Amino acid sequence: MAGKPLKIVPPVPGVAEIYDLGRGPETTAQRVERLQTEARLLAREEIERLDRDLRRLADQARTIADGGEAYPAGIRELAGRIGVDTARTRRDPPRPSGTLALDP
């Protein structure tokens, strides 16, 4: 009796959660806590991605600002201001209103 051949499934990105069948269902409070923890982790990932993008933007802006006559004067001036602003923002990031820090 020939069945269908097995197919290799590519790995799923991220870590799979293992559910313990011996424990009961999640309470609403446990679910809220779990979802808030996940939201904080996702927010942290977004902040790290933004930081990376700001670094790249600052580097590119400095390159243009220091590019001499190859770039129009207005663009060089704008790139210089962007470089300074992104450096300042990375050094002193604004905090969301009503919070003291992003880490719990």
Side-chain angles (χ1 to χ4, degrees):
M1 175 159 59
K4 290 184 179 180
L6 296 177
K7 178 179 165 184
I8 297 177
V9 179
V12 177
V15 178
E17 185 177 332
I18 298 174
Y19 188 79
D20 181 6
L21 295 176
R23 75 175 185 201
E26 248 180 343
T27 65
T28 301
Q30 289 170 329
R31 184 171 183 218
V32 167
E33 185 178 337
R34 179 179 54 82
L35 292 172
Q36 287 175 338
T37 301
E38 287 179 26
R40 279 192 295 274
L41 290 173
L42 289 172
R44 176 60 60 195
E45 289 174 9
E46 285 295 314
I47 291 167
E48 289 170 359
R49 195 173 352 221
L50 176 62
D51 182 56
R52 257 191 328 270
D53 291 346
L54 283 175
R55 286 176 195 262
R56 271 191 242 128
L57 176 64
D59 290 343
Q60 186 176 9
R62 267 191 302 278
T63 300
I64 291 172
D66 298 339
E69 298 299 319
Y71 299 98
I75 298 298
R76 289 192 316 259
E77 182 181 328
L78 177 63
R81 287 195 312 251
I82 289 172
V84 168
D85 288 347
T86 53
R88 185 180 310 124
T89 301
R90 287 193 57 253
R91 188 178 57 244
D92 303 318
R95 290 188 173 161
S97 61
T99 62
L100 297 176
L102 293 173
D103 292 327

